[in-house]
Amino acid sequence: MADAPLSVLLAGGGTAGHVNPLLAVADELRRRHPEAVLTVLGTAEGLEARLVPEHGLPLVHVPRVPLPRRPSADLLRLPGRLRAAVAAAGRAIDESGADVVVGFGGYVSTPAYLAARRRKVPVVVQEQNARPGLANRLGARWAAAVATTFAGTRLRGAQRTGLPLRAPIADLVARRSADPVGARRAAAAELGLDPDLVTLLVTGGSSGAASVNAAVSSAAPDLLAAGVQVLHVTGLGKDDAVRSAVADLPGTERYHVLDYLTRMDLALAVADLELGRAGAGTVCELAALGIPAVYVPLPVGNGEQRLNAADVVAAGGGLLVDDAELDRAWIAAHVLPLLAGDDAAADRARMAAAAASVGVTDAAGAVADLVERAAAGRPRAGS
């Protein structure tokens, strides 16, 4: 009797940082195994609730179970909530006949790991950040394989694969390799930009970064006076302050403000330099594309964004600046020389090559390899 199709349960959600790598790995598994059964475990509230169905994949809901980092009332409610989530994850494993569970961290992964362990279903962990989260630290204890984005991530059995790139970015990597000028001109036409001008891309992610917005817009007179074109993606609802700051400046027609851009691949196709936060996805996409950057790590949290940017900055592919230090004077001293002046193009080319030297473009394939190996070690239905 022929083997049953490969069945994989992918667990992750909440933010784009978890969902995008999940979808990238799902795409690669679907390409390799068109008959595979791919099921996604997620919540009803996270970004996955929209993105996974749009991607043509079935989404099974589990209750959202935050793991408290300190004693609180939530800690007392944790056992009951976790039991319900593990039970839901277990049903998903049983009903899909999963050969492997692949976790990408976040609230959903903890119950998936626990349910898989009880059923002796192998687990593959993919960790996006340099500093791993609680769920993946747990899952790595018994995982068949642990894939990390950054070389320095400390997880048991870790091997660096890089970050699986979402489809539009992987496609842009290929198009830039084949025809960088054509890719730039096509994207500039869609965005209403001049492809022949040196372009600074500013972004703080989908939610934006008010401090970055304020600092860059304060430097708008200097950027425009130097002939720079700016594409500033402010974050939803954060565009008014930037528009007011740059209104009526000489050359303001070269300062393009958007509050949100669904097709960030278009912006990246045009960017000569990027300035923004240092989320794992941002750092890895810029490195894979060979785009130099100025990283402004989020000033709150556990410091993971500074660690995310460490390798590319050490290689010379980016600059790092504290949020509190980013202002008009700093931009004039450190960013303008990379955009205008006799050495600017050469400096950007050097930084681009350095960024690309640490970038990874085939991470989805590397993680899919680990999934296939884990499945190969488990008896298959029908065999």
Side-chain angles (χ1 to χ4, degrees), residues 230-276:
V230 180
L231 176 58
H232 192 150
V233 184
T234 65
L236 288 169
K238 295 183 171 68
D239 56 320
D240 285 346
V242 174
R243 293 183 192 278
S244 296
V246 304
D248 302 323
L249 291 175
T252 192
E253 69 279 359
R254 285 184 276 107
Y255 202 111
H256 301 260
V257 181
L258 298 172
D259 69 342
Y260 186 76
L261 180 60
T262 302
R263 293 283 310 278
M264 280 300 293
D265 56 301
L266 297 176
L268 292 170
V270 175
D272 293 293
L273 180 72
E274 193 264 4
L275 187 154

Side-chain angles (χ1 to χ4, degrees), residues 12 118 142 161 181 223 228 230 232 272 320 369:
R118 290 179 182 178
W142 61 81
T161 60
V181 174
L223 294 167
V228 174
V230 180
H232 192 150
D272 293 293
L320 193 70
D369 288 344

Side-chain angles (χ1 to χ4, degrees), residues 103 105 125-133 136 147-150 153 155 163:
V125 171
Q126 201 286 318
E127 173 57 52
Q128 297 87 49
N129 290 298
R131 180 170 286 163
N136 281 350
T148 63
T149 297
F150 302 103
T153 302
L155 281 175
L163 185 73

Side-chain angles (χ1 to χ4, degrees), residues 171-246:
D171 178 61
L172 178 58
V173 170
R175 286 189 288 115
R176 280 168 59 101
S177 176
D179 183 11
V181 174
R184 179 187 180 97
R185 289 193 171 276
E190 288 205 45
L191 293 171
L193 302 178
D194 186 336
D196 296 321
L197 293 178
V198 174
T199 303
L200 171 66
L201 170 64
V202 182
T203 174
S206 59
S207 59
S211 57
V212 171
N213 290 345
V216 177
S217 59
S218 75
D222 307 318
L223 294 167
L224 295 174
V228 174
Q229 177 172 245
V230 180
L231 176 58
H232 192 150
V233 184
T234 65
L236 288 169
K238 295 183 171 68
D239 56 320
D240 285 346
V242 174
R243 293 183 192 278
S244 296
V246 304

Side-chain angles (χ1 to χ4, degrees), residues 28-64:
E28 178 62 17
L29 289 171
R30 192 157 45 184
R31 185 188 69 79
R32 296 183 183 193
H33 307 277
E35 77 291 351
V37 177
L38 303 178
T39 307
V40 179
L41 201 64
T43 69
E45 303 85 12
L47 196 60
E48 67 274 18
R50 176 175 61 85
L51 293 183
V52 170
E54 285 180 357
H55 219 70
L57 294 169
L59 177 66
V60 177
H61 294 150
V62 296
R64 183 176 178 271

